[in-house]
Amino acid sequence: MSASAIERALGTVIDPELRLPLTELNMIDLTDGLVTVKLTVAGCPAAQKIEADVRAAVAEFGVDVAMTVMSQAERNELKEKLRAGKPPRTNPFDKDTLTRVYLVGSGKGGVGKSSVTTNLAVALAEAGHRVGLIDADIFGFSIPGQLGITEKPTRVDELILPPVAQAGKWGVKVISIGMFLDDNKPVAWRGPMLHRAVEQFLCDVFWGDLDFLLVDLPPGTGDIAISLGQLLPTAKSIVVTTPQVAAAEVAERSGSVGLQTGQSVFGVIENMSWLEQPDGSKFEIFGHGGGLAVAERLSALSGQAVPQLGQIPISVALREGSDAGLPVVQNHPDDPAAKAIREIAVKISQDKIGLAGRLLRVSL
Ligand code: ADP
């Protein structure tokens, strides 16, 4: 039995929350044929999975596995490593971030904003990107349920490890205001509390290096959109609307808040565009043209072309999937709504990070 073969096998075991190999996290000690796994905190919810994965990885070597918990000094070392040299409590999504950040908003509730955001996040993750998702919809936090996440974040001292939904290689790291509330109590928070909560989501959660961060905003044009504009200076907004032209004006207002705080609008998504009939025809239950109307108005307001990114049909599979915690893009990838969402995800993945006002690192 060679120690390096065991080490190599252990190097394949990934921490389910941190999404890094246990060996890189100093969570493994290999001495005299005994593998000791050091969990970050006692009662770590991922403990069983970690133990099972380690046992499976070293099964062929016949070594023993013991579980223990890191000392405070070891935990401090780990936190230091995860911060990659940055001081504690810094916002990783400031103006120099390489993460592409999108704020998904809508004029009113019930247009499918959360379902669309969830499925976009999963589609991006399945395309190989590292994705984070913040559910800042204080009034209707539904994203954990839509992803089938029931666990709460793990705390390593002040560091919050987000639950990860299975999707693609990296999964989707999710944090929701609902994960920090007892029961399902209604939230009557005022602006400053929301601001602090969101700031904590950005600064105290271990996101790692993300390619994309999607933020599900509460409907309307509230304080939180403005706070987020300050905390996420590179963010672009995406507006979700239904085809009703009457709703377009409300949706337009949600996009124009972003413009006031200097964000550009990446595009408009029209959801619930039609119901496909058995004969293939499209029954436009909620009318026609809302998405394009919002895109045109936001183009005029911003002086820049704001495209309609796509139209998502009404889909029973999408609705059932949202209720069951099984996103339609994963569970029914051939459903027309899943296809429409994947096409929008491709447009997002092809978007370039805005370089205006950023310092370019040029090596001479
Ligand atoms: P919002 O975040 O805008 O309040 P949700 O994403 O919670 O909206 O969606 C509201 C309801 O509509 C949910 O039950 C969801 O499953 C359903 N829904 C959303 N989009 C569609 C669609 N394209 N087809 C069918 N049902 C949808």
Side-chain angles (χ1 to χ4, degrees), residues 217-364:
L217 295 180
T221 54
D223 295 337
I224 202 158
I226 294 168
S227 289
L228 277 169
Q230 293 162 355
L231 294 168
L232 298 165
T234 65
K236 298 181 183 180
S237 52
I238 293 177
V239 178
V240 181
T241 187
T242 56
Q244 272 164 293
V245 176
E249 215 167 290
V250 195
E252 172 207 318
R253 256 181 264 142
S254 131
S256 61
V257 169
L259 293 177
Q260 285 163 29
T261 53
Q263 288 151 25
S264 59
V265 183
F266 181 61
V268 176
I269 298 175
E270 189 185 87
N271 187 28
M272 310 192 191
S273 295
W274 58 76
L275 179 67
E276 197 170 313
Q277 302 294 286
D279 66 0
S281 63
K282 294 172 177 175
F283 180 23
E284 295 179 319
I285 295 181
F286 295 117
H288 179 87
L292 280 178
V294 177
E296 273 165 27
R297 288 189 211 185
L298 289 175
S299 302
L301 273 176
S302 65
Q304 276 169 350
V306 174
Q308 172 168 280
L309 298 168
Q311 291 177 294
I312 305 169
I314 294 174
S315 152
V316 174
L318 183 151
R319 205 265 308 145
E320 285 177 350
S322 290
D323 290 348
L326 301 166
V328 70
V329 289
Q330 269 176 322
N331 217 32
H332 288 282
D334 294 330
D335 183 87
K339 286 185 184 163
I341 292 170
R342 263 203 312 278
E343 280 165 24
I344 298 169
V346 169
K347 290 185 185 167
I348 294 176
S349 66
Q350 288 167 347
D351 183 29
K352 297 276 177 296
I353 192 157
L355 293 175
R358 289 160 60 90
L359 289 172
L360 291 178
R361 294 188 198 99
V362 183
S363 49
L364 295 171

Side-chain angles (χ1 to χ4, degrees), residues 20-350:
L20 292 166
L22 300 188
T23 43
E24 275 180 35
L25 296 167
N26 301 343
M27 288 173 70
I28 296 284
D29 185 61
L30 176 63
T31 325
D32 300 333
L34 174 69
V35 177
T36 306
V37 182
K38 293 181 277 184
L39 298 171
T40 48
V41 283
C44 164
Q48 276 184 349
K49 169 143 181 53
I50 294 175
E51 182 172 355
D53 289 353
V54 168
R55 285 190 186 280
V58 297
E60 60 177 297
F61 303 105
V63 287
D64 274 342
V65 175
M67 304 297 286
T68 176
V69 176
M70 285 183 176
S71 66
Q72 187 60 49
E74 286 168 331
R75 235 184 339 264
N76 289 345
E77 209 175 291
L78 172 68
K79 287 188 289 177
E80 184 91 37
K81 192 174 180 133
L82 294 177
R83 284 200 303 267
K86 293 208 179 114
R89 304 226 63 212
T90 35
N91 173 5
F93 307 107
D94 61 7
K95 65 180 176 36
D96 294 323
T97 184
L98 294 176
T99 303
R100 285 174 271 173
V101 183
Y102 299 86
L103 306 179
V104 188
S106 65
K108 56 187 185 117
V111 301
K113 171 180 53 60
S114 304
S115 315
V116 170
T117 313
T118 304
N119 278 287
L120 281 175
V122 171
L124 285 167
E126 292 210 314
H129 302 291
R130 290 164 301 181
V131 184
L133 177 50
I134 296 183
D135 179 7
D137 188 348
I138 201 103
F139 312 110
F141 41 86
S142 54
I143 282 186
Q146 293 190 6
L147 284 165
I149 292 180
T150 49
E151 62 268 42
K152 300 258 180 191
T154 304
R155 275 177 183 269
V156 179
D157 304 330
E158 72 288 353
L159 196 68
I160 301 171
L161 309 186
V164 182
Q166 297 304 319
K169 181 176 175 203
W170 307 100
V172 176
K173 292 184 170 176
V174 186
I175 213 84
S176 166
I177 214 117
M179 293 172 180
F180 297 89
L181 304 172
D182 295 331
D183 312 326
N184 209 2
K185 284 196 196 118
V187 189
W189 287 6
R190 303 192 73 82
M193 284 173 80
L194 288 181
H195 183 94
R196 271 202 302 280
V198 170
E199 196 171 18
Q200 196 185 13
F201 287 173
L202 298 175
C203 303
D204 290 351
V205 170
F206 173 67
W207 294 108
D209 291 327
L210 293 182
D211 299 311
F212 293 96
L213 177 68
L214 304 187
V215 185
D216 185 20
L217 295 180
T221 54
D223 295 337
I224 202 158
I226 294 168
S227 289
L228 277 169
Q230 293 162 355
L231 294 168
L232 298 165
T234 65
K236 298 181 183 180
S237 52
I238 293 177
V239 178
V240 181
T241 187
T242 56
Q244 272 164 293
V245 176
E249 215 167 290
V250 195
E252 172 207 318
R253 256 181 264 142
S254 131
S256 61
V257 169
L259 293 177
Q260 285 163 29
T261 53
Q263 288 151 25
S264 59
V265 183
F266 181 61
V268 176
I269 298 175
E270 189 185 87
N271 187 28
M272 310 192 191
S273 295
W274 58 76
L275 179 67
E276 197 170 313
Q277 302 294 286
D279 66 0
S281 63
K282 294 172 177 175
F283 180 23
E284 295 179 319
I285 295 181
F286 295 117
H288 179 87
L292 280 178
V294 177
E296 273 165 27
R297 288 189 211 185
L298 289 175
S299 302
L301 273 176
S302 65
Q304 276 169 350
V306 174
Q308 172 168 280
L309 298 168
Q311 291 177 294
I312 305 169
I314 294 174
S315 152
V316 174
L318 183 151
R319 205 265 308 145
E320 285 177 350
S322 290
D323 290 348
L326 301 166
V328 70
V329 289
Q330 269 176 322
N331 217 32
H332 288 282
D334 294 330
D335 183 87
K339 286 185 184 163
I341 292 170
R342 263 203 312 278
E343 280 165 24
I344 298 169
V346 169
K347 290 185 185 167
I348 294 176
S349 66
Q350 288 167 347

